[in-house]
Amino acid sequence: MEIDHDKIDEAVLALLWLTLHDGCRAWKGFDWATMNRLYEKGFICDPVNKTKSVVLTDEGLQKAEELFKELFTQKP
C-alpha cells in the first residue's frame, strides 16, 4: 500500500482547524512528519518548540477552513 502524504496533510490541516483556539493556534498532537510537511508548505509556523500548540499562518487558516468544510461537513 502506498500512502498519499498530500491527502494525509490535508486531513491533518482540516483537523487543526477543528481545534483552533486564540484565533490562530491549534493543538499539535499529530505525527511529527506530517507537521513538518505542513510547516514546509507554509501552512503552520515551526512546530518544533515546547508549546503544545502550533500557529497557523494566514494561508494555513484559509486552507484549513476550506478543507474542513470539504472533508467534514454535510452537503445540503
Side-chain angles (χ1 to χ4, degrees):
M1 171 174 59
E2 192 168 335
I3 295 174
D4 185 336
H5 291 287
D6 288 331
K7 287 183 181 178
I8 298 294
D9 295 350
E10 288 178 353
V12 169
L13 188 58
L15 290 171
L16 286 172
W17 190 81
L18 179 66
T19 65
L20 277 179
H21 60 92
D22 296 335
C24 63
R25 298 189 78 82
W27 302 114
K28 62 178 182 183
F30 295 99
D31 173 67
W32 283 110
T34 303
M35 297 299 281
N36 224 20
R37 288 192 304 272
L38 292 175
Y39 170 64
E40 290 171 357
K41 292 176 180 180
F43 293 130
I44 63 174
C45 294
D46 192 352
V48 181
N49 56 51
K50 292 183 181 187
T51 63
K52 294 181 181 181
S53 62
V54 67
V55 175
L56 277 73
T57 63
D58 290 338
E59 181 183 2
L61 282 169
Q62 181 180 351
K63 184 71 172 174
E65 183 176 7
E66 290 171 10
L67 288 167
F68 183 86
K69 288 177 181 176
E70 178 185 326
L71 296 171
F72 302 120
T73 61
Q74 294 180 356
K75 309 296 183 238

